[in-house]
Amino acid sequence: MMSFRSTLPLLLVVALLVFEERVSSPSCEVVEDRGSSPEEGGKDGSSDDFKVMMVANLLLMGSEAGYMDIYFRDSYMSKFFRKSFERLKPDMLVVLGDISAKGSELTNNKWLSVLQQFQRILGPFLGLSLHVVLGDRDVGECNQLKVKSVNQIASSLPGLDPAGCGAFEVSNISFVSLNAVALLCGNNALRFSVERIIERESLDLSRHSKGTTMLSNKPTEWKKDIDDFHWRENAVESGSGPVLLLHFPLHRNIDHCGGHKPLADNIRSSLHERSRTYFHRGFVGEGPHEMLHSMPPNATEYIFQALRPRIVFSAHSHQFCYHIHRDGTREVTVPAMTWNVKNDPGFVVATFKQNHAFIVSQCSLARESHVLMAYASVLALLLSTLLIAAKPHLWNLA
């Protein structure tokens, strides 16, 4: 009996290590397998598949991080990334905005500390292709958005142009990432820069699509809506364009995913009227994302018309959502991968196959409350065991 008591603390430590290893492994399930077949690779996939891990809303604090973040949350997040890398073997990592909790308020040195914290957490992912989309926490809301600060932040992240956008092709998969914050912010230089990038990608899409004709009688004639967005009709089939990466979700008439509560039609119309007013005023105050938490309808239609995205990945709402827009475009909203805003963080894995086929999987990680309860339980058992083992010695002293 005494031998068992003496080895119990060691057994508890071993059990805790085993528990840590298990809870740091992601649990994934397929949300949609669109267009693939067993002949293309089956469960193990094909060598031609391109797998991307999508994370969002890391909300890192850099040098301002507290002890709980430094000694607990960052450690576990690093384990999450390592185990995800070992199990899923992704080819690329995409961060869909808000890498920093308050990047727009940070000095250059403090922003550098956020990037250093990010690198420590990534671990084995540092060897992979990486792309980071800008979020409102990174660059600020409309009244904080400055061309110079966006340029500085974008220059410190891979693949972004001075406006905070990116366009690249990997393994024959085309990706376009947009600075969605700038699209919400009225008549400013950043928004016009983003629109020029969208138009450039739209023309490139039309040029590379054979047998297409422009829907407009005058292909060079710009169309203009009430909110001042411009586009020309693109006759390319929906879903033929690039994979689109955004921070803010696109507009949805009905939100089936919860999160920010869907507004009644009359309230939504009223708010959108207000958002249009803000567009013309240049957003000297709050922006529409503070009211709607998504891209407004006009910006969403602009993007659909110009880019015909194959699939859209967005973030911001902190929770997972799989939505099919009325033109058939799929949009996946990636949950937050941090315990700072959610008890159950998660991420998404997208596997792109040939002929526009893809598989989307939702992955979840351990709840912070479960991990803390496990630590507390082991600590309580360990203290109880030590007290029981020490009782005979205490009696002898008495």
Side-chain angles (χ1 to χ4, degrees):
M1 185 67 178
M2 290 298 297
S3 176
F4 174 75
R5 287 178 180 174
S6 61
T7 58
L8 186 56
L10 178 60
L11 293 175
L12 289 174
V13 172
V14 172
L16 182 59
L17 293 175
V18 172
F19 170 79
E20 279 190 322
E21 192 70 12
R22 294 194 62 179
V23 298
S24 59
S25 299
S27 174
C28 301
E29 61 176 348
V30 174
V31 176
E32 182 171 8
D33 187 341
R34 183 172 173 78
S36 66
S37 63
E39 290 76 14
E40 291 175 334
K43 291 183 178 180
D44 296 330
S46 164
S47 59
D48 295 329
D49 293 350
F50 187 71
K51 187 179 291 186
V52 183
M53 180 174 169
M54 309 270 187
V55 304
N57 305 91
L58 297 176
L59 302 178
L60 302 179
M61 295 292 291
S63 59
E64 297 184 8
Y67 288 107
M68 186 71 169
D69 288 322
I70 296 173
Y71 297 108
F72 178 66
R73 293 193 178 110
D74 285 3
S75 175
Y76 258 96
M77 198 58 60
S78 180
K79 291 176 184 177
F80 288 154
F81 272 107
R82 177 177 60 82
K83 296 298 291 185
S84 300
F85 178 84
E86 293 172 354
R87 177 179 172 182
L88 302 171
K89 295 179 173 58
D91 301 297
M92 184 178 185
L93 175 67
V94 170
V95 183
L96 291 167
D98 286 358
I99 186 175
S100 170
K102 48 182 180 179
S104 61
E105 304 172 15
L106 301 179
T107 62
N108 288 340
N109 287 338
K110 289 186 176 180
W111 177 255
L112 180 61
S113 72
V114 170
L115 296 180
Q116 291 171 341
Q117 183 185 11
F118 180 49
Q119 291 176 347
R120 290 194 301 270
I121 290 174
L122 282 185
F125 274 91
L126 286 174
L128 291 183
S129 298
L130 170 68
H131 188 77
V132 180
V133 178
L134 296 180
D136 56 320
R137 294 289 190 96
D138 300 316
V139 297
E141 297 171 356
C142 293
N143 60 336
Q144 302 168 309
L145 200 62
K146 301 291 188 298
V147 172
K148 182 179 179 180
S149 60
V150 170
N151 290 349
Q152 289 177 340
I153 293 173
S155 66
S156 66
L157 299 172
L160 293 182
D161 67 10
C165 300
F168 55 96
E169 184 171 313
V170 187
S171 189
N172 294 322
I173 310 296
S174 295
F175 295 85
V176 171
S177 71
L178 299 178
N179 181 352
V181 184
L183 282 176
L184 294 171
C185 293
N187 298 325
N188 64 77
L190 279 173
R191 177 186 159 190
F192 297 144
S193 296
V194 176
E195 287 186 7
R196 285 194 291 270
I197 291 165
I198 294 174
E199 177 59 19
R200 182 194 69 196
E201 294 301 318
S202 178
L203 291 174
D204 188 62
L205 175 62
S206 299
R207 191 179 302 118
H208 288 85
S209 299
K210 297 180 180 179
T212 61
T213 57
M214 303 304 291
L215 295 180
S216 173
N217 293 327
K218 298 180 180 180
T220 59
E221 180 181 354
W222 291 103
K223 295 198 172 186
K224 181 175 181 179
D225 77 353
I226 194 169
D227 283 329
D228 222 19
F229 273 99
H230 304 77
W231 70 83
R232 55 164 68 93
E233 295 280 1
N234 195 331
V236 177
E237 182 181 357
S238 294
S240 300
V243 176
L244 181 60
L245 308 174
L246 299 165
H247 178 66
F248 285 102
L250 297 176
H251 174 77
R252 302 161 189 166
N253 290 325
I254 300 175
D255 188 354
H256 297 285
C257 301
H260 299 293
K261 294 182 179 179
L263 302 173
D265 290 341
N266 58 336
I267 300 177
R268 186 180 293 277
S269 299
S270 173
L271 288 177
H272 190 53
E273 288 296 327
R274 290 169 60 192
S275 74
R276 294 200 314 213
T277 302
Y278 278 115
F279 263 103
H280 294 296
R281 291 180 180 175
F283 288 128
V284 292
E286 61 184 352
H289 55 283
E290 295 172 328
M291 297 181 287
L292 300 178
H293 302 282
S294 65
M295 299 293 290
N298 60 316
T300 298
E301 184 65 21
Y302 170 46
I303 289 170
F304 282 153
Q305 290 285 346
L307 298 179
R308 304 295 191 189
R310 175 177 180 177
I311 186 172
V312 180
F313 292 92
S314 59
H316 183 69
S317 67
H318 302 300
Q319 66 173 6
F320 175 83
C321 180
Y322 190 87
H323 181 77
I324 302 176
H325 292 274
R326 61 183 181 180
D327 70 341
T329 302
R330 269 64 177 170
E331 179 177 0
V332 179
T333 302
V334 178
M337 194 173 176
T338 175
W339 280 329
N340 287 321
V341 295
K342 288 196 70 180
N343 190 28
D344 50 344
F347 60 92
V348 165
V349 174
T351 304
F352 298 99
K353 298 176 175 289
Q354 301 301 315
N355 300 321
H356 281 73
F358 58 80
I359 299 174
V360 175
S361 298
Q362 177 189 6
C363 301
S364 57
L365 302 173
R367 291 175 176 266
E368 183 178 34
S369 57
H370 292 174
V371 176
L372 291 175
M373 286 175 61
Y375 272 110
S377 299
V378 170
L379 180 61
L381 287 172
L382 184 60
L383 290 175
S384 299
T385 303
L386 292 176
L387 287 173
I388 293 172
K391 273 187 178 181
H393 179 66
L394 294 175
W395 280 111
N396 290 334
L397 290 177

